[in-house]
């Protein structure tokens, strides 16, 4: 039976953080190891440039860091193909053809793009680069180039997948069945789909800076937890607290397993008990934050250690990316041939 094909990845705009880990990376590694899928991991540098044209060095340097992050959490080049988007010109060809299938009004209506434009107002000023507005189309190119059937994403990216559906539908109805229709999947754990920032903002984002990175030192993690936003109405220990819109509790609900409670906070069996006490009153933020720090340190320590070991040999990482990119390009070129044939763009 033909394996399902996964296309997933990140923009190299900085280091990956615990939002990526919870929302995407942990599951990516599980799916890779299940042996049921063929996995492509894209490092989307061209897409990163759409809102970072002024800082190509950051994008360039982040490619290696994002690759190391993926390897550190368990992406295995023997099982998954990790590649650099900009090195596959066919992806740009596909983008160009797909642009004719999407109206300007539709792009401007895309909720993901609208939110990102609002978040980037300082950078963009009054007007938005065309490339940024068009990035959902380039994402459709990335997805369809590999005939991906499954695209695991965070919740913020779902509207972009919808845009891909429309492009595939339009292309196939105009030029005949050519492109494979993908489906976007979000994490089963609803809370992992959109991890809030340490500042209490709606989304932890590397371009926003409200993050705990996978490679952060033990001291940095502790400092981030200490200054993290909690419930501003929870002034005294005895006051009832709110766990909603409280990133400390949000992170605990995603990361704290019964074994963490047994090891670090045995007075509570699980998250539900801890949250109930906080809401009742009588549980202080200092104690909860200390527990969150213990949990995060436990989860991130092995990742950081693997990260440090991998980072000692950047040449080996670049070699993984080079051979992944060669393999990925072959696939994208085959799809592009198919697309051009379907459109009648064969002359010689
Ligand atoms: P940027 O701020 O530069 O856009 P980012 O932190 O949003 O960076 P991306 O590389 O854009 O990271 O996203 C990679 C993947 O991780 C996407 O599928 C996205 O939905 C998911 N993701 C990003 N941030 C979070 C988050 N806070 N919680 C859950 N998933 C997330
Ligand atoms: Mg993003």
């Amino acid at each position: 039976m033909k394996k399902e094909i996964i296309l997933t990845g990140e923009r190299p705009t900085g280091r990956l953080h615990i939002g990526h880990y919870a929302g995407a990376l942990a599951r990516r590694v599980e799916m890779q190891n299940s042996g049921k899928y063929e996995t492509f991991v894209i490092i989307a540098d061209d897409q990163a440039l759409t809102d970072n044209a002024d800082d190509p060095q950051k994008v360039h340097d982040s490619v290696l860091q994002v690759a190391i992050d993926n390897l550190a959490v368990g992406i295995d080049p023997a099982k998954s193909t990790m590649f650099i988007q900009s090195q596959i010109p066919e992806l740009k060809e596909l983008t160009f053809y797909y642009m004719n299938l999407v109206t300007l009004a539709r792009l401007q209506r895309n909720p993901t793009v609208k939110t990102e434009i609002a978040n980037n107002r300082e950078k963009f000023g009054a007007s938005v680069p065309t490339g940024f507005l068009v990035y959902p189309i380039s994402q459709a190119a990335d997805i369809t180039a590999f005939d991906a059937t499954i695209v695991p994403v965070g919740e913020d990216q779902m509207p972009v997948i919808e845009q891909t559906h429309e492009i595939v539908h339009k292309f196939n109805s105009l030029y005949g069945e050519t492109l494979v229709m993908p489906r976007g999947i979000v994490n089963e754990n609803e809370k992992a789909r959109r991890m809030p920032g340490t500042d209490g903002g709606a989304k932890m984002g590397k371009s926003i800076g409200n993050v705990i990175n996978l490679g952060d030192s033990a001291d940095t993690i502790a400092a981030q937890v200490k200054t993290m936003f909690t419930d501003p109405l929870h002034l005294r220990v005895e006051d009832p607290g709110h766990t909603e819109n409280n990133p400390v509790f949000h992170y605990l609900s995603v990361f704290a397993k019964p074994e963490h409670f047994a090891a670090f906070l045995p007075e509570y069996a699980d998250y539900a008990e801890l949250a109930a006490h906080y809401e009742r009153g009588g549980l202080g933020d200092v104690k909860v934050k200390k527990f969150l720090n213990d949990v995060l340190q436990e989860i991130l320590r092995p990742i950081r250690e693997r990260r440090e070991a991998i980072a000692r040999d950047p040449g080996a990482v670049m070699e993984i990316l080079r051979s992944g990119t060669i393999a990925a390009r072959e696939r994208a070129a085959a799809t592009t041939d198919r697309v051009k044939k379907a459109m009648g763009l064969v002359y010689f």
Side-chain angles (χ1 to χ4, degrees):
M1 212 178 76
K2 220 173 146 242
K3 282 186 179 178
E4 293 232 51
I5 299 174
I6 294 177
L7 186 278
T8 183
E10 285 82 28
R11 294 152 33 97
T13 49
R15 302 274 193 106
L16 300 189
H17 50 66
I18 60 171
H20 297 116
Y21 185 69
L25 293 173
R27 182 114 171 279
R28 179 180 307 171
V29 172
E30 256 175 52
M31 290 175 96
Q32 165 198 268
N33 292 339
S34 76
K36 286 193 224 145
Y37 310 93
E38 191 182 359
T39 306
F40 289 91
V41 179
I42 183 170
I43 303 185
D45 57 341
D46 275 344
Q47 194 196 117
L49 286 167
T50 63
D51 58 338
N52 289 280
D54 57 343
D55 202 352
Q57 190 69 45
K58 177 180 82 178
V59 173
H60 177 275
D61 296 347
S62 299
V63 167
L64 177 66
Q65 298 307 323
V66 167
I68 294 173
D69 282 323
N70 270 279
L71 296 169
V73 298
I75 287 300
D76 175 352
K79 298 180 184 159
S80 295
T81 306
M82 184 155 59
F83 66 94
I84 306 176
Q85 183 186 34
S86 65
Q87 303 306 297
I88 304 189
E90 288 79 4
L91 297 176
K92 285 168 265 227
E93 284 189 63
L94 292 176
T95 304
F96 198 72
Y97 298 132
Y98 296 171
M99 280 202 260
N100 303 329
L101 309 179
V102 183
T103 66
L104 187 56
R106 175 65 181 91
L107 286 175
Q108 286 165 331
R109 257 197 338 263
N110 186 310
T112 309
V113 174
K114 266 167 111 172
T115 311
E116 287 170 342
I117 289 173
N119 289 343
N120 269 312
R121 226 176 269 289
E122 234 167 84
K123 192 193 296 182
F124 288 154
S127 182
V128 176
T130 312
F132 187 77
L133 200 63
V134 163
Y135 96 70
I137 302 180
S138 105
Q139 247 177 30
D142 303 334
I143 294 167
T144 54
F146 300 98
D147 296 327
T149 50
I150 301 181
V151 188
V153 288
E155 199 176 48
D156 64 314
Q157 289 295 312
M158 271 320 242
V160 180
I161 306 297
E162 248 162 65
Q163 186 118 51
T164 300
H165 288 167
E166 289 170 24
I167 290 171
V168 169
H169 185 76
K170 185 94 193 252
F171 191 100
N172 288 347
S173 58
L174 282 175
Y175 307 119
E177 274 310 303
T178 309
L179 301 176
V180 175
M181 185 64 83
R183 65 181 199 280
I185 56 166
V186 286
N187 203 298
E188 284 148 25
N189 179 349
E190 211 171 305
K191 291 208 142 156
R193 293 175 195 168
R194 187 188 298 259
M195 296 282 280
T198 53
D199 58 353
K203 176 180 173 288
M204 180 177 284
K206 49 182 144 55
S207 303
I208 308 169
N210 52 3
V211 300
I212 294 176
N213 284 325
L214 295 179
D216 277 347
S217 69
D219 287 348
T220 304
I221 298 167
Q224 280 281 51
V225 172
K226 205 169 256 164
T227 55
M228 197 179 285
F229 181 87
T230 60
D231 173 10
L233 303 173
H234 188 234
L235 298 174
R236 293 165 308 171
V237 171
E238 58 272 28
D239 290 339
H242 297 84
T243 56
E244 285 291 305
N245 303 321
N246 182 333
V248 173
F249 276 86
H250 192 115
Y251 299 166
L252 282 174
S253 75
V254 172
F255 290 120
K257 303 282 173 270
E259 61 265 29
H260 295 125
F261 281 94
F264 306 119
L265 203 60
E267 328 131 62
Y268 306 93
D270 56 20
Y271 174 79
E273 278 187 17
L274 183 78
H277 190 184
Y278 190 77
E279 283 174 356
R280 221 164 42 235
L283 175 56
D285 283 302
V286 173
K287 186 169 176 175
V288 183
K289 282 187 167 183
K290 183 181 173 305
F291 177 52
L292 176 61
N293 180 53
D294 288 334
V295 172
L296 290 178
Q297 299 286 357
E298 182 88 355
I299 293 171
L300 295 178
R301 188 183 315 110
I303 296 175
R304 179 175 58 243
E305 286 171 3
R306 276 198 300 275
R307 209 187 181 290
E308 281 165 5
I310 295 163
R312 270 183 225 121
D313 191 354
V317 180
M318 290 317 292
E319 191 45 44
I320 290 169
L321 289 175
R322 200 177 71 85
S323 51
T325 302
I326 291 170
R329 186 170 180 192
E330 261 174 48
R331 298 286 285 266
T335 307
T336 307
D337 273 352
R338 218 164 71 218
V339 160
K340 286 167 129 173
K341 273 197 194 99
M343 295 176 72
L345 300 172
V346 183
Y347 299 102
F348 310 110

